[in-house]
Amino acid sequence: MLVPKIAATTVLEPELQRAIDLLPVTLYADPAQAVSAISSASRAGAWACVSPDADVQDLLNSGLSVAVFDSADTVSVDCDKLRIAICYSTSASNGIDKTIDQALADGVGRAGAVIIQLTPEQLSEATQKSSSDGLSPLARLTAAAEKTLLGTSGPVRVLVDLLAPEGAVGNWTLDLISLAADAGADVIVAAEALAPAKDDSAKRVPLAEAFVAGSGLKSDRSDGLFTTVVVDEQRVCLGVVYSSVESIAAALATGEGVYWSRRRGLWHKGLTSGATQTLVGISVDCDSDALCYRVQQNGAGFCHHSTRSCFGPAAGISQLAQVVAERKSSAPEGSYTARLFSDAQLLRAKLLEEAAELAEATEPADVAFEAADLLYFALTKCAAHGVTLADIERSLDNKHRKV
């Protein structure tokens, strides 16, 4: 996975910042900058470098996903180790093997992620395969981390942060990114070393190509296309399509659902039908052989049959939220939902009534029935104030991240 790192003084072009916000994780050198990004963009994957004297508990409660400590720091935070990353650096007295041994013995056991800082030369050394077991030092670390599971949150992660000479933007090239990814590591790249487009006079690394290389994304198809699962904001599958490096670049640049049609080439979803997609996030699966686009679906739906999903109509809470939102603008006159939207006191009374009935219910069937009623009125209240199901889920996610 590609992890852009934003320094405290970094100011990015708006189009690059928007594209970076679509990636799963961003690392901030300044914790205050991370908290600001969380509050302004509801970023779920904000990491930040912190000092031992920082109020880490408060930062994590503010929505910071992961606090990054130096290996020399004493970490005493009462939280799941998933929320902690430890950074190890090499030196003349602390070579590659010793640094990786330290990360193996120390970091993998007490943190959810370990970061190894390397120069380009050290990365080349760290990825040299041993004649004894066929593994490089970095691959041995990632293999051990892969076996260390963090409950239902997956394995410990290993990231490589390539050190740049003083005054330089960065040392990353696509070859070096691929070298780290092939050893099983994620890559941290200075955001200012990335370019929003391929044609860049500053010779920066194109973001889409860096994303593909850093994710270790591979295709087993003869045409080189990547299988792409498209889901809505509730992660309900809308359909399965294909992507190319070119279409990924276009999706990141426009912030919309852009794919690769095997018949038509570059395919900007909805330009003809009006059923466009606002891209919320892009990620890669655990085997690095498929993409997931998380989108806000506009118009009639994703399918050419005008259903929301290629697998049929929406159901459950997603369907209820969709219908209630539609009723706000198109409810038949005299309908019950229209009455609720026009009479705030009636809606308030029904919320209180259904909450009380749910509180009194004891039989499983009754609890489910009353909860369904309360959800209907709650979603109607939310729709009346312009609050979507995705807004509710973001609030739940933020509450979940409190230590």
Side-chain angles (χ1 to χ4, degrees):
M1 183 178 68
L2 177 73
V3 179
K5 181 177 182 179
I6 299 181
T9 56
T10 299
V11 178
L12 302 174
E13 308 106 302
E15 59 269 32
L16 178 58
Q17 183 66 67
R18 284 195 302 270
I20 283 175
D21 286 342
L22 296 171
L23 303 185
V25 172
T26 301
L27 173 61
Y28 294 87
D30 179 8
Q33 196 177 16
V35 172
S36 175
I38 293 163
S39 59
S40 63
S42 298
R43 281 203 56 83
W47 295 24
C49 301
V50 299
S51 60
D53 57 349
D55 190 342
V56 179
Q57 203 94 10
D58 184 61
L59 288 170
L60 294 173
N61 285 336
S62 297
L64 188 69
S65 294
V66 174
V68 180
F69 291 88
D70 186 88
S71 60
D73 296 336
T74 300
V75 181
S76 57
V77 184
D78 184 18
C79 70
D80 192 316
K81 71 174 186 176
L82 174 68
R83 310 289 300 277
I84 299 297
I86 301 177
C87 183
Y88 299 84
S89 58
T90 54
S91 62
S93 60
N94 194 23
I96 303 291
D97 289 336
K98 187 174 180 181
T99 300
I100 288 180
D101 286 345
Q102 184 184 5
L104 270 169
D106 172 55
V108 171
R110 68 185 180 109
V114 294
I115 299 172
I116 308 295
Q117 292 185 324
L118 300 169
T119 65
E121 295 77 16
Q122 289 170 335
L123 175 59
S124 296
E125 182 182 342
T127 51
Q128 288 294 315
K129 294 180 179 179
S130 164
S131 58
S132 59
D133 60 6
L135 292 176
S136 67
L138 183 57
R140 277 196 294 275
L141 174 60
T142 59
E146 182 78 18
K147 295 175 182 176
T148 307
L149 299 180
L150 303 166
T152 58
S153 298
V156 171
R157 298 169 60 177
V158 176
L159 301 91
V160 172
D161 184 7
L162 205 66
L163 299 174
E166 191 171 346
V169 169
N171 275 330
W172 281 115
T173 64
L174 288 174
D175 286 342
L176 286 171
I177 291 173
S178 296
L179 196 60
D182 288 346
D186 296 330
V187 291
I188 299 172
V189 178
E192 62 266 33
L194 299 168
K198 188 170 183 178
D199 183 17
D200 181 60
S201 59
K203 306 300 181 186
R204 296 176 295 178
V205 182
L207 178 61
E209 294 182 32
F211 171 78
V212 170
S215 303
L217 190 60
K218 300 290 190 298
S219 173
D220 56 6
R221 294 174 53 87
S222 59
D223 55 15
L225 296 178
F226 308 115
T227 303
T228 303
V229 180
V230 184
V231 302
D232 66 12
E233 291 174 285
Q234 283 68 57
R235 292 183 171 81
V236 174
C237 183
L238 300 178
V240 179
V241 293
Y242 295 96
S243 297
S244 65
V245 176
E246 182 181 347
S247 69
I248 294 170
L252 291 173
T254 60
E256 298 190 344
V258 183
Y259 310 102
W260 192 266
S261 167
R262 290 165 291 174
R263 291 186 295 109
R264 293 170 288 172
L266 197 65
W267 169 35
H268 196 141
K269 170 64 182 167
L271 282 188
T272 302
S273 66
T276 58
Q277 297 173 331
T278 302
L279 188 58
V280 176
I282 177 173
S283 57
V284 176
D285 78 331
C286 60
D287 291 324
S288 298
D289 58 7
L291 286 164
C292 179
Y293 277 41
R294 191 176 176 205
V295 303
Q296 181 185 84
Q297 179 65 56
N298 306 310
F302 182 77
C303 185
H304 66 290
H305 288 148
S306 295
T307 55
R308 181 170 177 81
S309 164
C310 289
F311 301 99
I317 295 177
S318 292
Q319 182 191 35
L320 176 60
Q322 181 183 348
V323 170
V324 168
E326 291 170 354
R327 291 289 189 269
K328 185 181 179 183
S329 57
S330 61
E333 187 175 349
S335 74
Y336 187 59
T337 306
R339 284 180 57 201
L340 291 172
F341 280 129
S342 62
D343 188 341
Q345 288 304 311
L346 173 62
L347 178 55
R348 180 180 184 279
K350 293 304 297 182
L351 280 166
L352 293 173
E353 175 188 332
E354 297 301 337
E357 290 179 359
L358 175 59
E360 294 300 321
T362 56
E363 293 298 317
D366 294 335
V367 171
F369 185 89
E370 299 301 343
D373 279 351
L374 182 58
L375 280 171
Y376 163 67
F377 290 109
L379 288 174
T380 302
K381 170 73 172 181
C382 290
H385 292 272
V387 175
T388 67
L389 186 55
D391 295 327
I392 298 169
E393 290 182 335
R394 275 192 292 272
S395 182
L396 283 171
D397 288 342
N398 286 335
K399 289 179 171 66
H400 173 71
R401 285 197 294 269
K402 291 184 181 296
V403 176

